[in-house]
Amino acid sequence: MTVDASAERDRRSMSKPDGDRTFWGRLAGWGPYHTLMRLATASPRRQFLILAVIPVLWVLTQHLGPMLQMVIVSLTDAYPVAPGVEQHFTLDNYSRFFGDSIFWMPFFRTLIFAGVFTFCTLIITYPVAYFLARHVSRKNQMLFLLLLLIPFWVGEIVRTYAIMILLGNTGAVNLLLKTLGLIDRPIPFMYTSFSMGLGIVYLTALYMLLPLYSALEKLPKSMNEAAADLGAGAWTRFRRISLPLTIEGISSGCTLVFLISTGFYATPVLLGGPSTTVFAETIAGFFHAAGDEWPTGAAFATIMFAAALVLTATFQKLMSALRKGEKK
Amino acid sequence: MFRGNRIFLACVYWAFVLYVFVPLILMVVMGFKDSKFIGFPIRSWTLDWYTGVFADAAVLSTFGYSVAIAVLSTLISIFVGTWIAVLLEGRRFWGRTAVFGMTVLPALVPGIISAIAFRIYARWLGIEPGMGAIVWAHAVHNVPFVVLVVMARLSTLPKSQIEAARDLGADPLISFIRITLPYLVPAILGASIFCLLLSFDDFVRSFFLGGYEPTLPVLIFAKLRSGMSPEINAIATVALVLTAVIGIWAERFTRRMNKET
């Protein structure tokens, strides 16, 4: 007890440099605060627990909670539960998915579209990222990158609308083709998988570009030069050096873009046509129709999330196996 | 040495710049067209669509509503995100990887699925669709971005400063407020701007969790479903200019702050 008291006296005198007490010094010496802090920091373990409780609670209830609740609701037969009705657990919502092509067709379409769009985004942004990382001087790099960042701050809906204007029958692309004399009647670009693809690539390109850029930036320049000295052409240098060494960037970019692409709702509604209905529209349908279709919607969303996770996890495994193979 | 390559790659880059800018520029230009019909050719020009937007009380209140949602949700995500970052960066502990995995989860869940999960969760908690629900969903969705940005900054914090403060008698809370927090200011500001933009532009969560009052993207979407019109161009252009200006300003601001410290 006496040791404790003298330690405390030491502590107080330390936070009090020669009479001139700052706000913080006074706060540290203020009785109630001091007692509280001493209780909180009595042991590193207690201090840690107090620090951890809010974040862990938040993550459990806010990040995990909604997903878990969605899975639980997907296993019930009625939600929200009407008064007087008993809720039962059932797998009917899942079996409904397999029963009708109107459900699983959009599902597979979404996955295939997302895969194709991801691949297109990769093809389009790789040279751009390569140019930025390898051929632009360090001073201009930020400027060139910023030029690409600006349009990407603009939201999903506004950019989707901009694509609608670009591709319309009297839009800029058709006008250009007409002036060049290539066509005499407008090509109907809109409401096809093409317009949807163009829009989605536009929306997700940055999520591919940034990981590629940072991977390419880490690539040592000397390797390319050495390869060129040894007589490797541009294609060989790309295939044997740049590609294998940026596989990590490619894999994280593709994963991000794929996951985001499967989640678009407004863009397919606005840019797509009747033959390009995606699963997001199917899922949304259950929530907008009045009644107790929520469990089915939840089941479908769960199916989609599980499929997206399994596919991206497989993809990542594949890529890391490829990387290990290259190292040997 | 790689001259041919370089020219080819430069062409691809500028073509890509055109691809991302041209649609937006066209949209802005169309807002000045003196006709209800969207498309070329443009014969005469007008400012009516823009003045109409600024005179429209409904659009203005939607605008204010979106800004309020963005500000509130950003404040929550910054508070929680910084706290989580301090916990995760502070020390290794049992279950740290699990907590980190769960922390980034909302950033990886496809938009439609997260919107629906929140819709169901809100119903379960008894939260009615409307402003509160949107603020809450945006805040949760933005936390991972705050955590990642703040963690990156925390990892470069000079530990000796904390030790010095502790030696001089500061308790953990005071050393956090006086040393760590000022050091984190650039990261927190950068993350705030990012959150503001994300929330302001978010469609899918606002759409599924909104009540009768639409946010700006939801309003544009609703108008678009009943057909294109130059009025939408004007609304979208105002949103575009606002986001671009805030974004550029934030970029310069955070760069300058990062250089100073």
Side-chain angles (χ1 to χ4, degrees), chain A residues 61-62 144 153 161 198 202, chain B residues 13 19-20 121 136 201 233:
Chain A
T61 60
Q62 307 303 312
F144 276 53
W153 287 322
Y161 182 44
L198 201 78
Y202 185 19
Chain B
Y13 171 83
Y19 170 43
V20 295
Y121 200 53
W136 167 63
D201 287 332
N233 286 57

Side-chain angles (χ1 to χ4, degrees), chain A residues 122-166:
Chain A
L122 177 68
I123 298 289
I124 292 171
T125 50
Y126 201 95
V128 177
Y130 195 91
F131 176 73
L132 275 174
R134 318 285 298 166
H135 288 294
V136 178
S137 69
R138 201 143 281 273
K139 209 178 80 196
N140 286 336
Q141 228 164 41
M142 269 299 140
L143 196 75
F144 276 53
L145 197 60
L146 191 65
L147 198 61
L148 293 182
L149 281 176
I150 295 166
F152 286 97
W153 287 322
V154 181
E156 177 187 350
I157 299 290
V158 171
R159 278 191 287 158
T160 303
Y161 182 44
I163 294 284
M164 289 170 83
I165 292 171
L166 182 79

Side-chain angles (χ1 to χ4, degrees), chain A:
Chain A
M1 186 66 215
T2 48
V3 178
D4 210 51
S6 78
E8 183 161 319
R9 218 167 27 246
D10 278 358
R11 198 185 165 84
R12 285 188 186 213
S13 68
M14 267 186 215
S15 64
K16 185 170 52 175
D18 300 330
D20 181 26
R21 302 185 74 180
T22 61
F23 167 76
W24 300 104
R26 246 178 293 162
L27 180 69
W30 184 47
Y33 174 86
H34 189 79
T35 321
L36 212 67
M37 274 321 281
R38 216 181 41 181
L39 278 175
T41 60
S43 71
R45 192 186 159 77
R46 186 183 291 177
Q47 192 187 326
F48 173 73
L49 286 177
I50 288 171
L51 177 68
V53 69
I54 285 185
V56 170
L57 271 182
W58 173 276
V59 162
L60 283 177
T61 60
Q62 307 303 312
H63 291 184
L64 209 59
M67 304 310 289
L68 277 180
Q69 181 68 13
M70 182 178 82
V71 175
I72 292 169
V73 166
S74 78
L75 293 168
T76 61
D77 59 352
Y79 194 91
V81 191
V85 180
E86 230 178 289
Q87 198 180 28
H88 300 284
F89 283 96
T90 163
L91 281 171
D92 284 356
N93 302 310
Y94 288 92
S95 60
R96 218 176 143 184
F97 171 77
F98 300 99
D100 199 334
S101 69
I102 211 170
F103 297 142
W104 50 258
M105 275 293 277
F107 173 76
F108 290 112
R109 190 183 289 135
T110 303
L111 294 182
I112 292 167
F113 276 177
V116 172
F117 297 157
T118 307
F119 186 69
C120 292
T121 316
L122 177 68
I123 298 289
I124 292 171
T125 50
Y126 201 95
V128 177
Y130 195 91
F131 176 73
L132 275 174
R134 318 285 298 166
H135 288 294
V136 178
S137 69
R138 201 143 281 273
K139 209 178 80 196
N140 286 336
Q141 228 164 41
M142 269 299 140
L143 196 75
F144 276 53
L145 197 60
L146 191 65
L147 198 61
L148 293 182
L149 281 176
I150 295 166
F152 286 97
W153 287 322
V154 181
E156 177 187 350
I157 299 290
V158 171
R159 278 191 287 158
T160 303
Y161 182 44
I163 294 284
M164 289 170 83
I165 292 171
L166 182 79
L167 293 180
N169 279 346
T170 54
V173 175
N174 273 316
L175 180 82
L176 187 75
L177 291 175
K178 219 172 186 172
T179 334
L180 290 173
L182 292 172
I183 51 165
D184 42 296
R185 97 181 37 178
I187 302 173
F189 289 117
M190 278 297 295
Y191 313 119
T192 61
S193 48
F194 172 76
S195 56
M196 199 170 104
L198 201 78
I200 288 182
V201 170
Y202 185 19
L203 288 168
T204 55
L206 193 72
Y207 296 100
M208 186 69 88
L209 190 74
L210 289 180
L212 286 181
Y213 169 77
S214 59
L216 279 163
E217 222 202 351
K218 283 184 209 132
L219 202 81
K221 261 205 166 81
S222 51
M223 280 201 170
N224 259 324
E225 281 159 11
D229 283 345
L230 293 171
W235 171 247
T236 315
R237 288 202 302 272
F238 169 71
R239 198 173 56 85
R240 301 289 300 273
I241 298 173
S242 307
L243 203 58
L245 287 176
T246 50
I247 262 186
E248 210 154 338
I250 294 174
S251 119
S252 60
C254 286
T255 303
L256 256 182
V257 169
F258 183 84
L259 284 175
I260 295 169
S261 303
T262 56
F264 280 121
Y265 169 69
T267 310
V269 168
L270 294 173
L271 289 176
S275 63
T276 60
T277 309
V278 295
F279 206 50
E281 293 171 67
T282 311
I283 297 173
F286 292 109
F287 288 82
H288 284 187
D292 54 356
E293 299 252 75
W294 283 29
T296 313
F300 283 26
T302 309
I303 291 172
M304 181 158 142
F305 189 43
L309 279 189
V310 167
L311 279 174
T312 50
T314 317
F315 175 73
Q316 291 226 331
K317 272 263 175 348
L318 216 79
M319 291 304 254
S320 69
L322 212 67
R323 202 165 63 229
K324 278 196 191 110
E326 285 287 345
K327 267 184 192 154
K328 270 174 199 164

Side-chain angles (χ1 to χ4, degrees), chain B residues 145-157:
Chain B
F145 302 101
V146 179
V147 173
L148 293 176
V149 172
V150 174
M151 268 178 84
R153 177 87 180 162
L154 263 178
S155 65
T156 64
L157 173 75

